């Protein structure tokens, strides 16, 4: 009889994920990120078009968003470190960085909640004007998707899952978090840098709103 081939192992005898399972989960993640990216692209297009109209009143500078962005960047860096260490079989260090990544991501969400509360306290609520509404919509949906990523992060807590499964899930989670970071940078740049004048030029409505 022909011997059954064994799956390769990481250092320390940790087996890697089976190729067909890894490919299926990777394709599913790419598909999901494509759908989410398309949704936000449509909302950003609507954001630019709505900004070009004359009744748009921009929000005041929100400096706390810079701090929140730094926390999300740090969370993604540490999450990538956790995934890389899991692939090398350094499970204790991987679990340590996994915990730190979750804390930083939760801090980002907490910072966003503080920003929303502060804006409402300064009378820049959701229904104040279109700029307010779009700000809460875009940042709120992004935070909601990050909370979904935190659910996947929490699913890595049980110790009963195999090392191979943990390494595969960490890698996929890290990819999703990097996607959310890239998405946030685009949203943040639009919030900080786009002005009604730029939006009018992009939409060809420079004379609108007089």
């Amino acid at each position: 009889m022909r011997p059954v081939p064994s799956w390769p192992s990481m250092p320390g005898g940790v087996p890697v994920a089976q190729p067909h399972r890894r490919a299926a989960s990777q394709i599913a993640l790419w598909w999901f990120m494509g759908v989410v990216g398309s949704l936000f692209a449509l909302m950003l297009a609507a954001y630019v078009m709505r900004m070009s109209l004359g009744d748009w009143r921009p929000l005041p500078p929100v400096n706390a968003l810079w701090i929140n962005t730094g926390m999300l960047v740090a969370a993604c860096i540490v999450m990538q470190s956790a995934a890389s260490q899991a692939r090398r079989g350094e499970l204790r260090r991987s679990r340590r960085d996994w915990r730190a990544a979750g804390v930083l991501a939760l801090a980002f969400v907490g910072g966003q909640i503080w920003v929303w509360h502060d804006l409402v306290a300064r009378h820049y609520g959701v229904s104040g004007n279109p700029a307010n509404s779009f700000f809460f919509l875009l940042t709120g949906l992004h935070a909601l998707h990050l909370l979904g990523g935190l659910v996947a992060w929490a699913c890595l807590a049980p110790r009963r899952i195999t090392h191979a499964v943990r390494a595969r899930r960490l890698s996929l989670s890290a990819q999703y978090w990097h996607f959310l970071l890239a998405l946030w940078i685009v949203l943040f740049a639009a919030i900080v840098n786009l002005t009604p004048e730029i939006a009018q030029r992009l939409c060809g409505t420079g004379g609108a709103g007089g």
Side-chain angles (χ1 to χ4, degrees):
M1 292 179 61
R2 180 178 298 177
V4 177
S6 59
W7 294 108
S9 300
M10 295 185 296
V14 179
V16 298
Q18 297 182 12
H20 71 279
R21 293 188 62 186
R22 182 169 64 243
S25 56
Q26 183 69 74
I27 291 171
L29 177 63
W30 286 339
W31 180 86
F32 179 71
M33 291 191 299
V35 171
V36 174
S38 299
L39 171 65
F40 275 93
L42 290 172
M43 287 193 295
L44 277 173
Y47 175 77
V48 173
M49 289 188 289
R50 188 63 183 83
M51 183 186 289
S52 67
L53 300 182
D55 61 344
W56 187 274
R57 296 191 301 278
L59 287 167
V62 185
N63 294 326
L65 291 178
W66 290 94
I67 299 174
N68 295 350
T69 301
M71 288 189 291
L72 186 56
V73 170
C76 289
I77 291 173
V78 179
M79 190 66 170
Q80 182 60 48
S81 175
S84 299
Q85 289 168 354
R87 285 196 299 269
R88 294 194 299 266
E90 299 174 3
L91 303 179
R92 181 174 297 180
R93 293 181 179 179
S94 174
R95 187 171 288 274
R96 178 199 63 195
D97 284 352
W98 165 81
R99 293 193 189 100
V103 170
L104 287 165
L106 284 170
F108 170 82
V109 175
Q112 296 293 79
I113 292 173
W114 184 89
V115 166
W116 301 330
H117 181 270
D118 180 63
L119 286 173
V120 171
R122 289 192 287 162
H123 307 292
Y124 292 99
V126 177
S127 59
N129 74 81
N132 300 12
S133 301
F134 268 99
F135 178 86
F136 281 91
L137 174 64
L138 292 172
T139 58
L141 275 178
H142 179 269
L144 184 63
H145 283 86
L146 184 56
L147 286 174
L150 281 167
V151 171
W153 168 87
C155 290
L156 292 165
R159 294 180 178 271
R160 64 178 179 273
I161 61 176
T162 65
H163 298 321
V165 171
R166 181 177 179 81
R168 184 177 70 250
R169 289 181 181 176
L170 268 171
S171 177
L172 294 172
S173 295
Q175 291 178 53
Y176 181 60
W177 286 30
H178 296 334
F179 165 73
L180 290 177
L181 172 61
L183 186 59
W184 171 250
I185 289 174
V186 172
L187 294 178
F188 184 48
I191 291 169
V192 172
N193 295 318
L194 274 180
T195 64
E197 292 74 23
I198 295 174
Q200 288 171 3
R201 288 198 294 269
L202 290 173
C203 297
T205 58

